[in-house]
Amino acid sequence: TDRKKLHTAPVGQVFRLRPLHVLIATGGGYAGYRKYEDYKVEQLEKRGIEVPVKLASEWEVALYKSVPTRLLSRAWGRLNQVELPTWLRKPVYSLYIWTFGVNMKEAAVEDLHHYRNLSEFFRRKLKPQARPVCCLHSVISPSDGKILNFGQVKNCEVEQVKGVTYSLESFLGPRIYTEELHFSQAPPGNSFQQQLVTKEGNELYHCVIYLAPGDYHCFHSPTDWRVSHRRHFPGSLMSVNPGVARWIKELFCHNERVVLTGDWKHGFFSLTAVGATNVGSIRIYFDRDLHTNSPRYSKGSYNDFSFISNNNKEGIPMRKGEHLGEFNLGSTIVLIFEAPKDFKFHLKAGQKIHFGEALGSL
């Protein structure tokens, strides 16, 4: 009789599960499980053991997409803009440097107290001599990163990693029928790949570069070319690390991306910046109308913008090594271009590369 009474309410009132909570909890837990699986794969690869390709099923992809990565990425982007107290900057940035192996000796400003927020730290500039641009080869790496795949495009399919492909047309979108782009006037019955090749005897090549969070986040022009058109695909913001790229077919076609197309001395040339989780924005320096990771978008939609006008017949000329754009964190650059059959890559799959180093030449 001396005990206090415990007042209880019906379970339905105390513990209510909403669909959104279930999706976030389930999707987040599954994403964590996939991270652990990716870690195990990386360890096996370091030991020289080849890991068989195991693609995600439709329900696994749908479950991953249920995680609100776009919302989380916008929140991360806003957090990056918050100015840190001076006393907190060095501990926060030092933890990031230690976690991702950042080489601050290459930074134009090595003093960590100089960077007011995480965004400024991510977009730090390098010393001019840190990335010499190779003058002997026609195509250089546009960024720091890891080479996931490269080679000739075959059967309208491009490899994102070894053994996992995506559709060339789904990635770039429908062909742009514009006279100024100098695309091939091939008959409509030809494949999408053949329509992109403008000169007889040429082939279509590709190269995929993954930027890790610790890499230099700016990207540059990989060659001398002119940008005629921009196509922006709003989409998911799933992780693009090699483990996920090995797991989800057409990952790059699911994710938000900005496709820049134009031409160089050998014909068609394109550079695509692919978004990823926590990449709050993709910025192209000469394109002020581009706004990525907007709160609302139509699934499967894209928007086009032409840099060719009555006042500008040449588009945007870019010199090899010139600043082109930046990511908020880390992501992927995909090059797809036309070149003669004797074009050779100077790469190995999985190798680390720095901006300015040679990708290939004739």
Side-chain angles (χ1 to χ4, degrees):
T1 58
D2 294 332
R3 294 179 181 175
K4 293 182 180 179
K5 291 183 180 181
L6 176 64
H7 296 276
T8 61
V11 174
Q13 295 180 14
V14 177
F15 187 67
R16 290 182 180 178
L17 284 177
R18 298 180 181 179
L20 179 61
H21 297 163
V22 174
L23 286 174
I24 293 175
T26 308
Y30 193 75
Y33 165 75
R34 288 306 315 172
K35 286 286 187 181
Y36 173 68
E37 290 294 309
D38 295 341
Y39 172 76
K40 291 198 300 183
V41 169
E42 289 178 5
Q43 295 305 308
L44 290 173
E45 287 181 341
K46 287 180 180 179
R47 292 160 56 187
I49 301 174
E50 186 171 349
V51 181
V53 174
K54 184 181 179 182
L55 294 177
S57 61
E58 290 185 9
W59 73 264
E60 287 178 308
V61 176
L63 183 59
Y64 191 0
K65 282 187 172 183
S66 71
V67 180
T69 52
R70 293 180 65 85
L71 177 62
L72 293 172
S73 297
R74 284 194 296 275
W76 177 253
R78 291 181 180 179
L79 179 63
N80 288 347
Q81 299 294 333
V82 176
E83 184 169 342
L84 297 176
T86 305
W87 63 268
L88 189 58
R89 294 174 188 177
K90 188 171 183 178
V92 170
Y93 301 147
S94 295
L95 177 62
Y96 186 90
I97 290 168
W98 176 78
T99 303
F100 297 108
V102 178
N103 183 3
M104 284 302 294
K105 291 183 178 179
E106 298 176 335
V109 180
E110 296 184 39
D111 182 11
L112 297 180
H113 295 100
H114 169 81
Y115 303 100
R116 294 174 297 176
N117 52 47
L118 284 166
S119 181
E120 286 189 2
F121 178 71
F122 293 147
R123 295 181 288 106
R124 63 193 177 277
K125 303 301 181 183
L126 300 182
K127 295 173 181 175
Q129 65 273 21
R131 295 290 184 272
V133 175
C134 178
C135 300
L136 301 177
H137 297 83
S138 54
V139 184
I140 61 169
S141 176
S143 66
D144 289 5
K146 179 181 180 181
I147 301 295
L148 295 189
N149 217 300
F150 63 92
Q152 282 190 21
V153 177
K154 297 180 180 179
N155 301 320
C156 295
E157 292 281 325
V158 185
E159 282 194 321
Q160 57 191 30
V161 293
K162 185 178 180 181
V164 182
T165 62
Y166 56 92
S167 163
L168 179 64
E169 186 168 7
S170 296
F171 182 69
L172 295 178
R175 181 183 169 203
I176 307 160
Y177 290 94
T178 307
E179 292 181 4
E180 290 90 343
L181 294 184
H182 301 299
F183 283 179
S184 171
Q185 301 300 316
N190 283 16
S191 69
F192 183 80
Q193 178 179 338
Q194 291 171 326
Q195 292 176 25
L196 292 181
V197 177
T198 64
K199 299 179 181 179
E200 186 176 352
N202 281 1
E203 296 287 349
L204 210 59
Y205 297 87
H206 74 98
C207 182
V208 183
I209 305 170
Y210 166 68
L211 288 75
D215 287 327
Y216 168 57
H217 294 337
C218 297
F219 50 93
H220 302 245
S221 176
T223 192
D224 295 333
W225 64 308
R226 66 177 191 132
V227 183
S228 304
H229 186 269
R230 180 258 291 160
R231 176 169 283 166
H232 172 217
F233 290 85
S236 301
L237 286 175
M238 294 184 283
S239 171
V240 292
N241 74 58
V244 177
R246 188 183 293 106
W247 179 54
I248 298 180
K249 184 178 175 62
E250 299 204 334
L251 171 64
F252 299 156
C253 298
H254 289 293
N255 272 17
E256 181 163 20
R257 59 198 181 279
V258 177
V259 182
L260 300 178
T261 53
D263 58 274
W264 69 318
K265 59 183 178 181
H266 298 298
F268 173 79
F269 199 96
S270 73
L271 180 148
T272 301
V274 183
T277 307
N278 288 339
V279 179
S281 64
I282 301 171
R283 183 183 173 193
I284 304 298
Y285 294 139
F286 57 75
D287 189 353
R288 295 183 179 180
D289 295 323
L290 175 65
H291 301 285
T292 59
N293 197 10
S294 300
R296 295 182 180 181
Y297 72 97
S298 299
K299 186 177 180 181
S301 66
Y302 60 85
N303 57 76
D304 290 337
F305 183 85
S306 177
F307 298 109
I308 301 291
S309 65
N310 292 331
N311 298 326
N312 180 12
K313 299 292 186 181
E314 297 299 320
I316 308 295
M318 297 297 300
R319 303 295 297 176
K320 184 168 65 173
E322 186 177 351
H323 277 84
L324 182 54
E326 63 188 37
F327 291 111
N328 189 52
L329 192 56
S331 195
T332 298
I333 295 286
V334 180
L335 302 179
I336 298 175
F337 58 94
E338 174 186 359
K341 291 183 178 180
D342 56 351
F343 181 87
K344 300 294 182 184
F345 284 101
H346 306 291
L347 303 171
K348 292 181 180 179
Q351 79 171 72
K352 288 287 294 181
I353 197 167
H354 292 109
F355 153 62
E357 293 179 350
L359 286 185
S361 62
L362 298 170

